Amino acid sequence: MKVDLLIKEAMVYNSYFKQFTKGNAAVKDGKFFYIGIKGSETFEAEEIIDANGMYLVPGLIDIHLHIESTMVTPATFSYGLLKNGVTTIVPEPHEMANVFGIAGVKEMIKASKNYPLDMFYAIPSSVPATSMETTGGAIEIEDIEELLQTEDIKCLGEIMNYYDVISKPGGKTNQILAYITKNYPELIIEGHVPKLLDLELQMLAFAGVTSDHTHQTVEGMKERIAIGMFLEIQEKSMTNEVMNYLLEHQVDEHFCFVTDDVMADSLQNRGHLNVLLKKAIAMGMPPEKAIYACTYTPAARMRMYDRGAIAPGKLADFLLVSELNSFHIQKVYKKGKKVYDEAISYVQEASSRQFPDYFYESVSMGKLEEADFHVNLPQQDGNVICRTMNVKNGSTFTEEKHDELLVEAGKLQWETSAYGLLATFERYGKNGNSARGLIGGDILKKGAVATTYSHDNHNLLVLGQNKEDMVIAANAVIQQQGGICCVLDGEILANVPLPVGGILSEEPLAIISKQVEHLTATLHTLGYEHYNAIMSLSTLSLPVSPALKITDHGLIDVNKGKVVSLVVE
């Protein structure tokens, strides 16, 4: 009996029993043909692998992530994932959609083809995330319809504006949900429902949202599972309490692990979904259960029934793992073909101009001046009570606090206060909006940083302790058509150019990861005390992440879903 590949003497993972069994596996036409004890006496194979007792594991599957969070192109992302055992992903390109609309989605999908890694896309459902920000593009119902008709789509991406679902029955988000549930009732709808419980949570479920990937608590998980929501557990949710609950209760079918956002240096130096798998094992989860949550349940959630298990007819996406607890990956195969071998040195070649020319010309604004960082108030002199945004290490949520600041000659004296200035500028050439706020807590204590990598609108965001450094950082980013730049005492200390839409680099992963690593170290040197300083910085403009954020429309009270003034009335 002729087959393409025979793997002998392996410990084969069986997803249906969640256990390993010693045996052989035959592959034919890119799929598993046979798993059992029969070997060379039965099969004539073009290639034979002696696994010598290594573990044969299905390729890992990540169903909730954003390639743009790594600041790389799909080609570079694919290169980074395969060596970490990830063979299938479901990315949602809502960052690129916020910059370019449906064209951003289509170009990301186009750029994802012809690579060994399978990239099936989610349609961004919340572009812009709210009506309280200016973006370069938008995704409307007609765009969703076009993408469903023309592309290989797995789901409707995360419904981010949960406040509108609850409070605005006729709003855009509810219109999209109503359209999908009526016309595409079988389409999976992903959710973003942080902290919601009871009635508000069930209102989201009633509208069609059937998953949540945000920061979990045991109370929240129990309520979500009880109403049929699927849990997508990212690393920040892997607390002892959460992991113990997953271990002690029969909920294996109701969760999987996802990465959501991974920085380039973390992808290069730590890994990807395999990092969460190893962490789960280290926290006491049996390897068989951790593997299940990285293969079988994500495949089932996205109805990808052709993968996620080692069984006849399933795609031959698999890993050979030498040691289970450390999950040491030696080889990776995609559809029966080897795509990674740790014994072979792989070097990613540089590439450029993978997108249309106008993708490299997305920052449409002139240079800024020191006056742009003045905070002008009607009151000429005296003290005012101001809202401040407080950042705390460990979370991308912020806290609103109030404090008294001095006003002189109609200008808020923020530079002599305990706070930094956070300013944002609309950068698409649409309206010239700008806004300013005060920020404190675990943020930088000196210098300045500017970025066009600012979720989800990706306008120019500038944070600093003095106007001079803020001007230099901002203008460096404007001049290079996007990126992240740190300045101290007039000197640029770190700079990451992101010329594709102001959010992506076309450098190889080894180079962009070093740039991001240096940037992170610089932010820490400037006093930014956060486990993920870049993510913390970039989400200060995310108006669906509690509690006080900023967009070009002004300060946003996320929980109330409205713009609020800097000065407390």
Side-chain angles (χ1 to χ4, degrees), residues 351-408:
S351 58
S352 62
R353 309 299 283 196
Q354 300 170 53
F355 294 86
D357 287 344
Y358 71 93
F359 273 51
Y360 304 87
E361 302 170 353
S362 65
V363 180
S364 299
M365 58 184 297
K367 287 187 175 182
L368 299 181
E369 302 173 347
E370 287 189 19
D372 291 302
F373 299 101
H374 290 158
V375 180
N376 299 310
L377 296 176
Q379 181 174 328
Q380 288 300 299
D381 296 288
N383 294 322
V384 291
I385 303 297
C386 294
R387 287 184 171 86
T388 69
M389 189 186 304
N390 188 67
V391 174
K392 188 175 182 180
N393 192 356
S395 176
T396 53
F397 295 165
T398 65
E399 182 183 2
E400 177 180 328
K401 293 186 176 181
H402 297 171
D403 205 350
E404 189 173 297
L405 274 78
L406 178 66
V407 180
E408 290 182 354

Side-chain angles (χ1 to χ4, degrees), residues 301-318:
R301 164 67 183 169
M302 288 296 155
R303 301 180 189 139
M304 296 187 288
Y305 301 123
D306 62 343
R307 66 196 70 205
I310 296 173
K314 304 291 186 184
L315 288 180
D317 297 353
F318 64 90

Side-chain angles (χ1 to χ4, degrees), residues 123 125 141 144-145 148 155-157 159 165 169 171-190 202-211 301 303:
I123 297 177
S125 65
I141 288 176
I144 292 173
E145 178 64 37
L148 286 168
C155 62
L156 185 68
I159 298 293
V165 177
K172 177 181 174 180
T173 305
N174 276 312
Q175 290 178 27
I176 290 173
L177 285 168
Y179 182 85
I180 293 299
T181 54
K182 178 182 178 181
N183 296 284
Y184 297 93
E186 296 301 312
L187 187 67
I188 299 161
I189 301 176
E190 293 283 89
Q202 296 193 36
M203 289 174 72
L204 267 291
F206 182 81
V209 174
T210 55
S211 76
R301 164 67 183 169
R303 301 180 189 139

